[in-house]
Amino acid sequence: MLDRHYLAFHQPADDDKVAYTVHQAMTDYWTLHGAGQASADAIRARLKLVNRFIDHEIAIGVLREPVLPTVLDAEWLMRFRKWGTEIDPVTQRRRDPETGEWTVSTRKRAKSTVEESIIQLKAALRFNVKRMEAVPELKHLPRAAVTPERNFRLSLEQIAEMLDYTAEGDPELSPAHPARLMPLRRYLIGAICTLARPDALYDISVRPDRQQWHRDAGVLDLNPAGRIQTRKNRPALPVTSLLANWLEATEDRLVCHESVFEDDEDRWVVQRPVADIKKAWRVMADQFGVPVGFGPKLMRHSMATLIAQRGVSQQEIPLALGTWCCPRRRGVT
């Protein structure tokens, strides 16, 4: 609170502006603005990636401390893009809930992820314009330039086969494979019934303090209590009978892992929320011939296409997707 008070009222002198660093700009942006946003986790991850790259360049002698905004130019952006997409991989560590063993996997970082970090850095610099001599001109690439065209959609038959797969598993892998696919099955059910984005699906909870599932009204609010709505609006939707059955069988988060425990004649199920279902999705996607690059969000796009083909109006679909906004903002009706 003291930091926020100081930053809000302090008027930097010329000497302060000359010595103001990129690290300070990102920290001050986070303290005064980013930490209070609904997308705080994403903001932190993007700024962390920029910070890691700057530390990397300091370690190899390309940059020297203090790192001032004047060093951020087109050449620096080129180095950042190459490092982020080709040199520095994304490392994921996962623990098997059954065996307790850890597995480590790596993959290349998406170009769009790097560009989002550049956009976040630009926002941090603009936010602190009064604390520096000048804001460097950084040009990020548009989404169309870093994201391939995605026109693949799942058919109704493919979605049905995926549900069968999550229920039956792959007998060649393990007899316990179906149980391990429970989070993926719950994700598919949620995606089919709500058309929600992945982050919203992971957030669905039946806990009373979350105020999401209004059982008597038959409504599910994808935006939990206390979370500020962003431009990626999370709507309140009617609950289908299928989804209601799954919510009734849920203790907290809809997307969760289930473990069955038995003691003499007693038998109970323990549910544990999961961070994501990307690994299980990739295995299933390979088996069903889903093109590389299409993650769990494909369910949202596929369901929107299917209901459009069945005559749902172009006014209702954006409402369900949470993409509709006031006509004054987009100039549409």
Side-chain angles (χ1 to χ4, degrees), residues 143-153 291-294 301:
R143 181 176 294 273
V146 295
T147 304
E149 185 177 355
R150 297 174 179 269
N151 52 14
F152 177 81
R153 295 292 184 268
V292 176
F294 286 87
H301 298 153

Side-chain angles (χ1 to χ4, degrees), residues 1-69:
M1 292 178 64
L2 182 60
D3 287 340
R4 288 196 295 271
H5 177 79
Y6 172 82
L7 292 171
F9 294 98
H10 173 65
Q11 296 297 324
D14 291 342
D15 291 344
D16 296 328
K17 294 181 179 180
V18 171
Y20 194 72
T21 68
V22 178
H23 288 102
Q24 286 176 298
M26 292 191 290
T27 301
D28 293 347
Y29 173 78
W30 172 257
T31 302
L32 282 175
H33 180 74
Q37 300 300 302
S39 55
D41 289 342
I43 292 173
R44 180 173 56 230
R46 294 164 188 161
L47 294 179
K48 183 179 179 181
L49 182 63
V50 175
N51 190 63
R52 284 182 50 233
F53 175 64
I54 293 176
D55 290 346
H56 165 75
E57 290 217 311
I58 292 174
I60 64 176
V62 176
L63 295 179
R64 293 183 179 181
E65 295 187 283
V67 180
L68 303 178

Side-chain angles (χ1 to χ4, degrees), residues 49 52 82-90 107-109:
L49 182 63
R52 284 182 50 233
K82 182 175 181 180
W83 175 84
T85 58
E86 300 179 15
I87 299 175
D88 182 67
V90 177
R107 61 175 175 82
K108 286 188 176 182
R109 185 176 289 105

Side-chain angles (χ1 to χ4, degrees), residues 47-309:
L47 294 179
K48 183 179 179 181
L49 182 63
V50 175
N51 190 63
R52 284 182 50 233
F53 175 64
I54 293 176
D55 290 346
H56 165 75
E57 290 217 311
I58 292 174
I60 64 176
V62 176
L63 295 179
R64 293 183 179 181
E65 295 187 283
V67 180
L68 303 178
T70 53
V71 306
L72 305 181
D73 53 18
E75 184 179 344
W76 181 87
L77 286 179
M78 290 178 60
R79 298 199 304 270
F80 179 47
R81 290 185 177 110
K82 182 175 181 180
W83 175 84
T85 58
E86 300 179 15
I87 299 175
D88 182 67
V90 177
T91 302
Q92 294 178 315
R93 298 179 70 248
R94 298 181 182 277
R95 186 174 184 178
D96 190 304
E98 301 295 334
T99 64
E101 297 181 354
W102 288 90
T103 59
V104 179
S105 61
T106 60
R107 61 175 175 82
K108 286 188 176 182
R109 185 176 289 105
K111 294 180 180 180
S112 58
T113 301
V114 176
E115 293 306 316
E116 291 291 340
S117 294
I118 294 174
I119 294 172
Q120 202 70 68
L121 173 61
K122 290 172 63 176
L125 295 174
R126 288 196 304 269
F127 184 84
N128 292 287
V129 62
K130 72 174 185 178
R131 308 179 207 283
M132 60 183 70
E133 287 187 307
V135 177
E137 293 185 6
L138 302 176
K139 294 184 179 180
H140 66 274
L141 299 177
R143 181 176 294 273
V146 295
T147 304
E149 185 177 355
R150 297 174 179 269
N151 52 14
F152 177 81
R153 295 292 184 268
L154 295 169
S155 67
L156 187 61
E157 291 73 19
Q158 287 174 307
I159 293 175
E161 290 174 358
M162 287 181 171
L163 285 171
D164 287 345
Y165 167 80
T166 59
E168 300 171 1
D170 187 344
E172 296 183 0
L173 293 178
S174 167
H177 192 234
R180 296 180 183 179
L181 293 177
M182 180 56 73
L184 178 58
R185 182 171 180 79
R186 284 175 162 268
Y187 178 93
L188 294 181
I189 294 294
I192 291 169
C193 296
T194 66
L195 284 72
R197 298 178 179 89
D199 58 335
L201 286 169
Y202 298 136
D203 247 4
I204 293 176
S205 173
V206 301
R207 278 175 24 208
D209 61 296
R210 302 270 295 185
Q211 299 179 29
Q212 289 188 272
W213 186 26
H214 306 283
R215 182 186 285 104
D216 294 338
V219 172
L220 177 67
D221 193 341
L222 296 179
N223 198 56
R227 180 187 180 275
I228 300 173
Q229 286 280 19
T230 66
R231 285 180 294 179
K232 294 184 176 180
N233 185 64
R234 293 187 181 182
L237 302 170
V239 176
T240 65
S241 58
L242 171 64
L243 182 58
N245 291 336
W246 282 88
L247 293 175
E248 289 285 359
T250 301
E251 298 174 357
D252 182 359
R253 301 294 176 115
L254 172 66
V255 183
C256 65
H257 176 80
E258 295 184 351
S259 298
V260 179
F261 293 90
E262 296 184 5
D263 183 12
D264 296 332
E265 297 182 355
D266 295 329
R267 184 177 183 274
W268 65 95
V269 176
V270 176
Q271 297 180 341
R272 297 190 303 274
V274 298
D276 59 63
I277 48 86
K278 292 180 180 177
K279 183 177 180 181
W281 171 272
R282 285 197 297 270
V283 175
M284 181 182 69
D286 290 342
Q287 182 164 330
F288 285 91
V290 176
V292 176
F294 286 87
K297 197 174 182 180
L298 174 61
M299 287 297 301
R300 168 180 167 86
H301 298 153
S302 298
M303 289 304 303
T305 300
L306 287 171
I307 64 174
Q309 292 172 348

